[in-house]
Amino acid sequence: MREQNRKLTYYIGATIDGYIAGPDDQVEDFPLDPDLLGAIKEHWPETIPTHVREPLGVADAPNRSFDAVIMGRGTYDPGLKLGITSPYAHLDQYVVTTTLGADTDPGVTFVGTDPLAFVRDLKAQEGGGIWLAGGGKLAAALIDEIDEIVVKRYRVLIGGGIPMFAGSYRPTAFTLESNRSLESGASIQTYRKA
């Protein structure tokens, strides 16, 4: 999976109306249907957190698309509150924050104030794909470097919350590469930067 000019993929779950979480970071109302979970296990097993890989039968699954993950502090916090300091130990992990440091977990690299420069540097290094796991503010800050968006579309709308992109108005063209509808009503859409 080693390649030059690494690709940054915003791989995210979102509601029909484009939210990645509720206003208070709620995700418990997002139905993870068996067919959607099956697609994740088959195509993106590395996006399953380390602590649930064994129970879900993917403990030994190879990393298919990504060897690194970058996330904002809000995406990192739910696991941290449960005592999970290294949620994706099978990947190189980067968390954008100015309030946490290496003493939190030596297996996680904490990125300070310039995530755009950091991602540009990371993409220039040798390696596999880079997974942008969220959140909406970080995605908006990195829009120029996002090469691909993969949206797992949950079959629910919530009317408000944390949007996929939480930034200023900035039209950026992407081309729909695939749209897979699942029997449950969930779907997986892949877009590439136009």
Side-chain angles (χ1 to χ4, degrees):
M1 182 176 30
R2 293 307 210 195
E3 59 187 59
Q4 292 287 53
N5 299 319
R6 300 168 84 178
K7 177 172 61 174
L8 179 66
T9 301
Y10 188 26
Y11 170 87
I12 195 76
T15 62
I16 294 168
D17 48 352
Y19 294 100
I20 59 175
D24 295 317
D25 297 321
Q26 308 97 314
V27 293
E28 58 275 358
D29 295 317
F30 295 11
L32 184 56
D33 295 302
D35 55 357
L36 181 55
L37 179 58
I40 294 166
K41 288 166 62 174
E42 180 181 351
H43 299 286
W44 303 280
E46 66 270 33
T47 65
I48 296 173
T50 303
H51 70 283
V52 293
R53 286 172 63 86
E54 187 171 336
L56 290 177
V58 295
D60 298 324
N63 296 342
R64 297 185 190 273
S65 299
F66 312 116
D67 67 5
V69 59
I70 186 165
M71 67 190 89
R73 171 74 190 266
T75 301
Y76 182 69
D77 270 348
L80 188 60
K81 289 176 183 171
L82 297 173
I84 301 166
T85 58
S86 182
Y88 299 99
H90 51 282
L91 298 172
D92 294 333
Q93 302 170 90
Y94 305 98
V95 176
V96 177
T97 179
T98 57
T99 57
L100 295 175
D103 58 331
T104 305
D105 192 293
V108 177
T109 300
F110 295 93
V111 179
T113 58
D114 194 352
L116 187 59
F118 178 82
V119 166
R120 285 180 177 148
D121 181 61
L122 192 61
K123 286 176 72 174
Q125 298 172 20
E126 185 177 323
I130 305 163
W131 166 32
L132 171 56
K137 289 179 187 173
L138 182 58
L142 297 177
I143 190 76
D144 288 340
E145 292 300 320
I146 295 173
D147 302 294
E148 177 181 63
I149 301 171
V150 177
V151 183
K152 300 168 296 184
R153 189 74 63 184
Y154 300 111
R155 54 182 181 80
V156 65
L157 59 86
I158 60 173
I162 300 171
M164 285 178 54
F165 290 89
S168 58
Y169 180 75
R170 189 165 177 196
T172 305
F174 281 79
T175 301
L176 181 65
E177 183 175 273
S178 67
N179 187 9
R180 179 178 174 194
S181 296
L182 303 176
E183 190 173 322
S184 64
S187 64
I188 303 169
Q189 297 145 344
T190 301
Y191 296 88
R192 292 213 190 272
K193 188 167 274 180

